[in-house]
Short mmCIF file of all heavy atoms in Angstrom, two decimals:
data_model
loop_
_atom_site.label_atom_id
_atom_site.label_comp_id
_atom_site.label_asym_id
_atom_site.label_seq_id
_atom_site.Cartn_x
_atom_site.Cartn_y
_atom_site.Cartn_z
N MET A 1 2.65 47.06 13.46
CA MET A 1 3.81 46.86 12.59
C MET A 1 4.40 45.47 12.84
O MET A 1 4.77 44.80 11.87
CB MET A 1 4.83 47.97 12.86
CG MET A 1 5.97 47.97 11.91
SD MET A 1 5.36 48.37 10.28
CE MET A 1 6.86 48.57 9.42
N GLN A 2 4.52 45.06 14.09
CA GLN A 2 5.09 43.75 14.38
C GLN A 2 4.17 42.62 13.89
O GLN A 2 4.66 41.59 13.44
CB GLN A 2 5.31 43.57 15.90
CG GLN A 2 6.47 44.34 16.43
CD GLN A 2 6.64 44.10 17.91
OE1 GLN A 2 5.68 43.81 18.60
NE2 GLN A 2 7.86 44.24 18.40
N ILE A 3 2.87 42.83 13.95
CA ILE A 3 1.93 41.82 13.48
C ILE A 3 2.12 41.57 11.99
O ILE A 3 2.13 40.42 11.54
CB ILE A 3 0.48 42.24 13.80
CG1 ILE A 3 0.26 42.25 15.32
CG2 ILE A 3 -0.51 41.32 13.11
CD1 ILE A 3 -1.07 42.78 15.72
N ILE A 4 2.30 42.63 11.23
CA ILE A 4 2.52 42.50 9.79
C ILE A 4 3.83 41.74 9.53
O ILE A 4 3.87 40.85 8.66
CB ILE A 4 2.54 43.89 9.10
CG1 ILE A 4 1.17 44.53 9.22
CG2 ILE A 4 2.97 43.76 7.65
CD1 ILE A 4 1.13 45.97 8.77
N PHE A 5 4.86 42.06 10.28
CA PHE A 5 6.15 41.38 10.11
C PHE A 5 6.02 39.89 10.40
O PHE A 5 6.46 39.05 9.61
CB PHE A 5 7.19 42.01 11.04
CG PHE A 5 8.50 41.27 11.07
CD1 PHE A 5 9.37 41.32 9.98
CD2 PHE A 5 8.86 40.49 12.16
CE1 PHE A 5 10.58 40.62 10.00
CE2 PHE A 5 10.04 39.79 12.17
CZ PHE A 5 10.91 39.86 11.09
N PHE A 6 5.40 39.54 11.53
CA PHE A 6 5.25 38.12 11.88
C PHE A 6 4.31 37.40 10.93
O PHE A 6 4.51 36.20 10.63
CB PHE A 6 4.79 37.98 13.32
CG PHE A 6 5.85 38.29 14.32
CD1 PHE A 6 5.73 39.33 15.23
CD2 PHE A 6 7.05 37.56 14.32
CE1 PHE A 6 6.73 39.61 16.12
CE2 PHE A 6 8.06 37.83 15.24
CZ PHE A 6 7.89 38.87 16.14
N ALA A 7 3.30 38.07 10.42
CA ALA A 7 2.42 37.47 9.43
C ALA A 7 3.20 37.18 8.15
O ALA A 7 3.05 36.11 7.54
CB ALA A 7 1.24 38.38 9.15
N ALA A 8 4.01 38.13 7.73
CA ALA A 8 4.83 37.94 6.51
C ALA A 8 5.82 36.79 6.72
O ALA A 8 6.00 35.96 5.80
CB ALA A 8 5.56 39.22 6.15
N VAL A 9 6.45 36.72 7.87
CA VAL A 9 7.38 35.63 8.15
C VAL A 9 6.64 34.29 8.16
O VAL A 9 7.13 33.29 7.63
CB VAL A 9 8.12 35.87 9.50
CG1 VAL A 9 8.88 34.63 9.94
CG2 VAL A 9 9.08 37.05 9.37
N GLY A 10 5.44 34.26 8.71
CA GLY A 10 4.64 33.03 8.75
C GLY A 10 4.27 32.56 7.35
O GLY A 10 4.35 31.38 7.04
N VAL A 11 3.84 33.49 6.51
CA VAL A 11 3.48 33.15 5.13
C VAL A 11 4.69 32.66 4.38
O VAL A 11 4.64 31.64 3.66
CB VAL A 11 2.82 34.36 4.42
CG1 VAL A 11 2.71 34.11 2.93
CG2 VAL A 11 1.49 34.67 5.03
N LEU A 12 5.82 33.32 4.57
CA LEU A 12 7.05 32.91 3.90
C LEU A 12 7.49 31.52 4.36
O LEU A 12 7.91 30.69 3.55
CB LEU A 12 8.15 33.93 4.16
CG LEU A 12 9.47 33.72 3.42
CD1 LEU A 12 9.24 33.81 1.92
CD2 LEU A 12 10.48 34.76 3.86
N ALA A 13 7.37 31.24 5.65
CA ALA A 13 7.73 29.93 6.19
C ALA A 13 6.82 28.85 5.61
O ALA A 13 7.28 27.77 5.24
CB ALA A 13 7.66 29.94 7.71
N TYR A 14 5.53 29.14 5.50
CA TYR A 14 4.58 28.18 4.96
C TYR A 14 4.88 27.87 3.49
O TYR A 14 4.90 26.72 3.06
CB TYR A 14 3.15 28.69 5.11
CG TYR A 14 2.12 27.76 4.51
CD1 TYR A 14 1.78 26.58 5.14
CD2 TYR A 14 1.51 28.06 3.29
CE1 TYR A 14 0.85 25.72 4.60
CE2 TYR A 14 0.59 27.21 2.73
CZ TYR A 14 0.24 26.04 3.38
OH TYR A 14 -0.67 25.19 2.82
N VAL A 15 5.14 28.89 2.72
CA VAL A 15 5.45 28.71 1.29
C VAL A 15 6.76 27.93 1.15
O VAL A 15 6.85 27.04 0.30
CB VAL A 15 5.53 30.08 0.56
CG1 VAL A 15 6.08 29.93 -0.84
CG2 VAL A 15 4.16 30.74 0.53
N GLY A 16 7.74 28.24 1.95
CA GLY A 16 9.00 27.51 1.90
C GLY A 16 8.83 26.05 2.28
O GLY A 16 9.38 25.16 1.65
N TYR A 17 7.99 25.79 3.28
CA TYR A 17 7.72 24.42 3.70
C TYR A 17 7.03 23.63 2.59
O TYR A 17 7.41 22.49 2.30
CB TYR A 17 6.87 24.42 4.97
CG TYR A 17 6.34 23.07 5.33
CD1 TYR A 17 7.18 22.12 5.95
CD2 TYR A 17 5.02 22.71 5.11
CE1 TYR A 17 6.71 20.88 6.29
CE2 TYR A 17 4.55 21.46 5.44
CZ TYR A 17 5.38 20.55 6.03
OH TYR A 17 4.94 19.30 6.37
N ARG A 18 6.02 24.22 1.95
CA ARG A 18 5.32 23.54 0.87
C ARG A 18 6.25 23.26 -0.30
O ARG A 18 6.19 22.21 -0.91
CB ARG A 18 4.13 24.39 0.40
CG ARG A 18 3.03 24.56 1.42
CD ARG A 18 2.36 23.28 1.82
NE ARG A 18 1.80 22.65 0.65
CZ ARG A 18 1.54 21.36 0.54
NH1 ARG A 18 1.77 20.54 1.53
NH2 ARG A 18 1.04 20.86 -0.57
N SER A 19 7.14 24.20 -0.59
CA SER A 19 8.10 24.01 -1.67
C SER A 19 9.05 22.86 -1.33
O SER A 19 9.37 22.04 -2.20
CB SER A 19 8.88 25.28 -1.90
OG SER A 19 9.88 25.10 -2.84
N PHE A 20 9.49 22.82 -0.08
CA PHE A 20 10.38 21.74 0.36
C PHE A 20 9.70 20.39 0.26
O PHE A 20 10.28 19.42 -0.25
CB PHE A 20 10.81 22.00 1.81
CG PHE A 20 11.61 20.88 2.40
CD1 PHE A 20 12.94 20.68 2.06
CD2 PHE A 20 11.02 20.00 3.29
CE1 PHE A 20 13.65 19.65 2.59
CE2 PHE A 20 11.72 18.95 3.84
CZ PHE A 20 13.07 18.78 3.49
N VAL A 21 8.46 20.28 0.68
CA VAL A 21 7.71 19.02 0.61
C VAL A 21 7.53 18.57 -0.82
O VAL A 21 7.72 17.41 -1.16
CB VAL A 21 6.36 19.16 1.34
CG1 VAL A 21 5.47 17.96 1.07
CG2 VAL A 21 6.57 19.30 2.85
N ARG A 22 7.21 19.50 -1.71
CA ARG A 22 7.01 19.18 -3.14
C ARG A 22 8.29 18.64 -3.74
O ARG A 22 8.29 17.65 -4.47
CB ARG A 22 6.53 20.44 -3.87
CG ARG A 22 6.02 20.16 -5.25
CD ARG A 22 5.45 21.42 -5.93
NE ARG A 22 4.67 22.25 -5.06
CZ ARG A 22 4.98 23.51 -4.72
NH1 ARG A 22 6.08 24.07 -5.20
NH2 ARG A 22 4.22 24.21 -3.92
N GLU A 23 9.42 19.29 -3.44
CA GLU A 23 10.71 18.85 -3.97
C GLU A 23 11.09 17.48 -3.38
O GLU A 23 11.61 16.63 -4.10
CB GLU A 23 11.78 19.89 -3.65
CG GLU A 23 13.15 19.55 -4.17
CD GLU A 23 13.24 19.56 -5.65
OE1 GLU A 23 12.34 20.08 -6.34
OE2 GLU A 23 14.26 19.05 -6.19
N ALA A 24 10.83 17.27 -2.11
CA ALA A 24 11.15 15.98 -1.48
C ALA A 24 10.34 14.87 -2.12
O ALA A 24 10.86 13.76 -2.36
CB ALA A 24 10.89 16.05 0.02
N GLN A 25 9.08 15.11 -2.43
CA GLN A 25 8.25 14.10 -3.09
C GLN A 25 8.77 13.79 -4.49
O GLN A 25 8.80 12.64 -4.92
CB GLN A 25 6.79 14.55 -3.16
CG GLN A 25 6.10 14.56 -1.84
CD GLN A 25 4.71 15.17 -1.90
OE1 GLN A 25 4.38 15.91 -2.83
NE2 GLN A 25 3.90 14.86 -0.91
N ARG A 26 9.20 14.81 -5.20
CA ARG A 26 9.74 14.62 -6.55
C ARG A 26 10.99 13.78 -6.53
O ARG A 26 11.16 12.83 -7.30
CB ARG A 26 10.02 15.98 -7.21
CG ARG A 26 10.46 15.87 -8.67
CD ARG A 26 10.97 17.21 -9.20
NE ARG A 26 12.20 17.63 -8.57
CZ ARG A 26 13.43 17.16 -8.91
NH1 ARG A 26 13.53 16.26 -9.86
NH2 ARG A 26 14.50 17.59 -8.30
N VAL A 27 11.90 14.09 -5.59
CA VAL A 27 13.16 13.35 -5.47
C VAL A 27 12.90 11.91 -5.05
O VAL A 27 13.49 10.97 -5.59
CB VAL A 27 14.12 14.07 -4.50
CG1 VAL A 27 15.32 13.21 -4.19
CG2 VAL A 27 14.56 15.40 -5.09
N THR A 28 11.98 11.71 -4.11
CA THR A 28 11.66 10.36 -3.66
C THR A 28 11.09 9.54 -4.80
O THR A 28 11.44 8.35 -4.97
CB THR A 28 10.66 10.43 -2.49
OG1 THR A 28 11.24 11.17 -1.43
CG2 THR A 28 10.33 9.04 -2.00
N ALA A 29 10.21 10.12 -5.60
CA ALA A 29 9.63 9.40 -6.75
C ALA A 29 10.71 9.03 -7.75
O ALA A 29 10.70 7.92 -8.30
CB ALA A 29 8.56 10.26 -7.40
N LYS A 30 11.65 9.93 -7.98
CA LYS A 30 12.73 9.64 -8.92
C LYS A 30 13.61 8.49 -8.40
O LYS A 30 14.00 7.60 -9.15
CB LYS A 30 13.60 10.89 -9.13
CG LYS A 30 14.70 10.70 -10.13
CD LYS A 30 15.47 11.97 -10.37
CE LYS A 30 16.60 11.72 -11.35
NZ LYS A 30 17.41 12.91 -11.55
N ILE A 31 13.91 8.50 -7.10
CA ILE A 31 14.74 7.43 -6.52
C ILE A 31 14.01 6.10 -6.61
O ILE A 31 14.62 5.07 -6.95
CB ILE A 31 15.09 7.78 -5.06
CG1 ILE A 31 16.09 8.94 -5.04
CG2 ILE A 31 15.66 6.57 -4.33
CD1 ILE A 31 16.33 9.49 -3.64
N ARG A 32 12.72 6.09 -6.34
CA ARG A 32 11.95 4.84 -6.42
C ARG A 32 11.92 4.32 -7.85
O ARG A 32 12.03 3.10 -8.09
CB ARG A 32 10.54 5.05 -5.90
CG ARG A 32 10.51 5.17 -4.40
CD ARG A 32 9.11 5.13 -3.86
NE ARG A 32 9.17 5.22 -2.40
CZ ARG A 32 8.28 5.86 -1.68
NH1 ARG A 32 7.26 6.44 -2.25
NH2 ARG A 32 8.40 5.91 -0.38
N ARG A 33 11.75 5.22 -8.84
CA ARG A 33 11.78 4.79 -10.24
C ARG A 33 13.13 4.20 -10.59
O ARG A 33 13.22 3.15 -11.26
CB ARG A 33 11.49 5.98 -11.15
CG ARG A 33 10.06 6.20 -11.48
CD ARG A 33 9.86 7.12 -12.68
NE ARG A 33 10.70 8.31 -12.68
CZ ARG A 33 10.39 9.46 -12.09
NH1 ARG A 33 9.27 9.58 -11.42
NH2 ARG A 33 11.21 10.48 -12.16
N THR A 34 14.20 4.83 -10.13
CA THR A 34 15.54 4.34 -10.42
C THR A 34 15.78 2.98 -9.78
O THR A 34 16.35 2.09 -10.41
CB THR A 34 16.60 5.35 -9.91
OG1 THR A 34 16.34 6.62 -10.50
CG2 THR A 34 18.01 4.92 -10.26
N GLU A 35 15.34 2.81 -8.54
CA GLU A 35 15.48 1.51 -7.87
C GLU A 35 14.69 0.42 -8.60
O GLU A 35 15.18 -0.69 -8.77
CB GLU A 35 15.02 1.60 -6.41
CG GLU A 35 15.95 2.38 -5.54
CD GLU A 35 15.40 2.59 -4.13
OE1 GLU A 35 14.19 2.34 -3.91
OE2 GLU A 35 16.18 3.02 -3.26
N LYS A 36 13.48 0.76 -9.04
CA LYS A 36 12.65 -0.22 -9.74
C LYS A 36 13.28 -0.59 -11.09
O LYS A 36 13.27 -1.74 -11.49
CB LYS A 36 11.26 0.37 -9.96
CG LYS A 36 10.23 -0.62 -10.39
CD LYS A 36 8.85 0.01 -10.37
CE LYS A 36 7.79 -1.02 -10.66
NZ LYS A 36 6.44 -0.42 -10.67
N GLN A 37 13.87 0.41 -11.77
CA GLN A 37 14.52 0.14 -13.04
C GLN A 37 15.73 -0.75 -12.82
O GLN A 37 15.98 -1.67 -13.62
CB GLN A 37 14.95 1.45 -13.70
CG GLN A 37 13.81 2.26 -14.23
CD GLN A 37 14.23 3.64 -14.69
OE1 GLN A 37 15.41 3.98 -14.70
NE2 GLN A 37 13.27 4.46 -15.10
N ALA A 38 16.49 -0.54 -11.77
CA ALA A 38 17.65 -1.38 -11.49
C ALA A 38 17.23 -2.80 -11.15
O ALA A 38 17.87 -3.76 -11.57
CB ALA A 38 18.45 -0.79 -10.34
N ALA A 39 16.14 -2.96 -10.43
CA ALA A 39 15.65 -4.29 -10.07
C ALA A 39 15.15 -5.05 -11.30
O ALA A 39 15.31 -6.26 -11.40
CB ALA A 39 14.54 -4.18 -9.03
N ASN A 40 14.54 -4.34 -12.24
CA ASN A 40 13.98 -4.97 -13.44
C ASN A 40 15.01 -5.09 -14.56
O ASN A 40 14.75 -5.79 -15.55
CB ASN A 40 12.79 -4.17 -13.98
CG ASN A 40 11.61 -4.21 -13.02
OD1 ASN A 40 11.52 -5.11 -12.19
ND2 ASN A 40 10.74 -3.26 -13.14
N GLY A 41 16.11 -4.37 -14.43
CA GLY A 41 17.10 -4.39 -15.50
C GLY A 41 16.73 -3.53 -16.69
O GLY A 41 17.22 -3.75 -17.78
N THR A 42 15.85 -2.55 -16.48
CA THR A 42 15.44 -1.69 -17.58
C THR A 42 16.34 -0.46 -17.68
O THR A 42 17.13 -0.17 -16.78
CB THR A 42 13.98 -1.23 -17.40
OG1 THR A 42 13.89 -0.53 -16.16
CG2 THR A 42 13.04 -2.40 -17.41
N MET A 43 16.23 0.26 -18.77
CA MET A 43 17.09 1.41 -19.02
C MET A 43 16.35 2.73 -18.88
O MET A 43 16.93 3.78 -19.10
CB MET A 43 17.66 1.32 -20.44
CG MET A 43 18.49 0.09 -20.67
SD MET A 43 19.93 0.08 -19.62
CE MET A 43 21.09 0.78 -20.73
N GLY A 44 15.06 2.73 -18.55
CA GLY A 44 14.32 3.96 -18.41
C GLY A 44 12.83 3.66 -18.34
O GLY A 44 12.39 2.53 -18.45
N THR A 45 12.05 4.71 -18.17
CA THR A 45 10.60 4.59 -18.08
C THR A 45 10.01 5.23 -19.31
O THR A 45 10.32 6.38 -19.65
CB THR A 45 10.09 5.30 -16.81
OG1 THR A 45 10.70 4.71 -15.67
CG2 THR A 45 8.57 5.17 -16.68
N LEU A 46 9.10 4.50 -19.96
CA LEU A 46 8.44 5.04 -21.14
C LEU A 46 7.16 5.75 -20.76
O LEU A 46 6.41 5.28 -19.90
CB LEU A 46 8.11 3.92 -22.13
CG LEU A 46 9.32 3.24 -22.79
CD1 LEU A 46 8.83 2.07 -23.65
CD2 LEU A 46 10.12 4.20 -23.60
N VAL A 47 6.90 6.89 -21.38
CA VAL A 47 5.65 7.61 -21.19
C VAL A 47 5.06 7.89 -22.54
O VAL A 47 5.76 8.12 -23.54
CB VAL A 47 5.85 8.93 -20.40
CG1 VAL A 47 6.25 8.66 -18.98
CG2 VAL A 47 6.87 9.81 -21.07
N LYS A 48 3.72 7.87 -22.62
CA LYS A 48 3.04 8.07 -23.90
C LYS A 48 2.83 9.55 -24.12
O LYS A 48 2.33 10.27 -23.27
CB LYS A 48 1.70 7.35 -23.88
CG LYS A 48 1.00 7.35 -25.22
CD LYS A 48 -0.24 6.50 -25.17
CE LYS A 48 -0.89 6.42 -26.52
NZ LYS A 48 -2.09 5.57 -26.50
N ASP A 49 3.21 10.01 -25.31
CA ASP A 49 2.98 11.40 -25.72
C ASP A 49 1.52 11.53 -26.12
O ASP A 49 1.08 10.85 -27.05
CB ASP A 49 3.90 11.78 -26.89
CG ASP A 49 3.78 13.21 -27.31
OD1 ASP A 49 2.99 13.97 -26.67
OD2 ASP A 49 4.47 13.62 -28.25
N PRO A 50 0.72 12.35 -25.42
CA PRO A 50 -0.71 12.41 -25.74
C PRO A 50 -1.02 12.98 -27.12
O PRO A 50 -2.04 12.63 -27.70
CB PRO A 50 -1.27 13.33 -24.63
CG PRO A 50 -0.12 14.08 -24.09
CD PRO A 50 1.09 13.25 -24.33
N LYS A 51 -0.14 13.78 -27.68
CA LYS A 51 -0.42 14.37 -28.99
C LYS A 51 -0.14 13.39 -30.13
O LYS A 51 -0.93 13.26 -31.05
CB LYS A 51 0.45 15.62 -29.20
CG LYS A 51 0.03 16.77 -28.30
CD LYS A 51 0.86 18.00 -28.58
CE LYS A 51 0.46 19.13 -27.66
NZ LYS A 51 1.26 20.32 -27.87
N THR A 52 1.01 12.71 -30.06
CA THR A 52 1.39 11.82 -31.17
C THR A 52 1.05 10.36 -30.91
O THR A 52 0.99 9.58 -31.85
CB THR A 52 2.91 11.92 -31.42
OG1 THR A 52 3.60 11.44 -30.27
CG2 THR A 52 3.32 13.33 -31.76
N GLY A 53 0.89 9.99 -29.63
CA GLY A 53 0.59 8.61 -29.32
C GLY A 53 1.85 7.72 -29.25
O GLY A 53 1.76 6.53 -29.05
N GLU A 54 3.01 8.34 -29.42
CA GLU A 54 4.28 7.61 -29.38
C GLU A 54 4.80 7.54 -27.95
O GLU A 54 4.54 8.42 -27.14
CB GLU A 54 5.32 8.29 -30.25
CG GLU A 54 4.98 8.31 -31.73
CD GLU A 54 6.00 9.06 -32.54
OE1 GLU A 54 6.90 9.70 -31.95
OE2 GLU A 54 5.93 9.00 -33.78
N TYR A 55 5.54 6.49 -27.66
CA TYR A 55 6.18 6.34 -26.35
C TYR A 55 7.60 6.86 -26.42
O TYR A 55 8.31 6.61 -27.38
CB TYR A 55 6.16 4.88 -25.93
CG TYR A 55 4.79 4.41 -25.51
CD1 TYR A 55 3.92 3.85 -26.41
CD2 TYR A 55 4.39 4.53 -24.18
CE1 TYR A 55 2.66 3.43 -26.01
CE2 TYR A 55 3.15 4.10 -23.78
CZ TYR A 55 2.29 3.55 -24.70
OH TYR A 55 1.02 3.15 -24.29
N ARG A 56 7.98 7.60 -25.38
CA ARG A 56 9.34 8.15 -25.29
C ARG A 56 9.83 7.94 -23.87
O ARG A 56 9.08 7.73 -22.95
CB ARG A 56 9.32 9.65 -25.58
CG ARG A 56 8.79 9.98 -26.97
CD ARG A 56 8.89 11.46 -27.23
NE ARG A 56 8.22 11.83 -28.47
CZ ARG A 56 8.74 11.78 -29.66
NH1 ARG A 56 9.99 11.39 -29.81
NH2 ARG A 56 8.06 12.13 -30.73
N LEU A 57 11.17 8.06 -23.70
CA LEU A 57 11.72 7.95 -22.35
C LEU A 57 11.31 9.16 -21.54
O LEU A 57 11.29 10.29 -22.02
CB LEU A 57 13.26 7.90 -22.43
CG LEU A 57 13.86 6.58 -22.90
CD1 LEU A 57 15.38 6.70 -23.00
CD2 LEU A 57 13.52 5.46 -21.95
N ALA A 58 10.98 8.92 -20.28
CA ALA A 58 10.57 10.00 -19.37
C ALA A 58 11.75 10.91 -19.09
O ALA A 58 12.88 10.45 -18.91
CB ALA A 58 10.02 9.42 -18.07
N LYS A 59 11.49 12.20 -19.05
CA LYS A 59 12.53 13.18 -18.71
C LYS A 59 12.34 13.58 -17.27
O LYS A 59 11.23 13.97 -16.87
CB LYS A 59 12.41 14.40 -19.61
CG LYS A 59 12.65 14.10 -21.07
CD LYS A 59 12.51 15.34 -21.91
CE LYS A 59 12.68 15.03 -23.37
NZ LYS A 59 12.47 16.20 -24.23
N ASP A 60 13.41 13.54 -16.49
CA ASP A 60 13.30 13.91 -15.07
C ASP A 60 13.67 15.31 -14.84
O ASP A 60 14.28 16.09 -15.05
CB ASP A 60 14.17 12.99 -14.21
CG ASP A 60 13.56 11.61 -14.12
OD1 ASP A 60 12.34 11.51 -14.12
OD2 ASP A 60 14.35 10.65 -14.04
#
């Protein structure tokens, strides 16, 4: 019974850690984009819509 409990806690800790790392990478990328935009004097990042071929502002 204790082995199952500790295994479940281990799996939960691993999933939480991976989620935290993913979120930290997303936030870091957003901060870097914002810093780059401030340095260049731009108002946003354009991304190409693959369906229409039009460029639009990136949504964060």
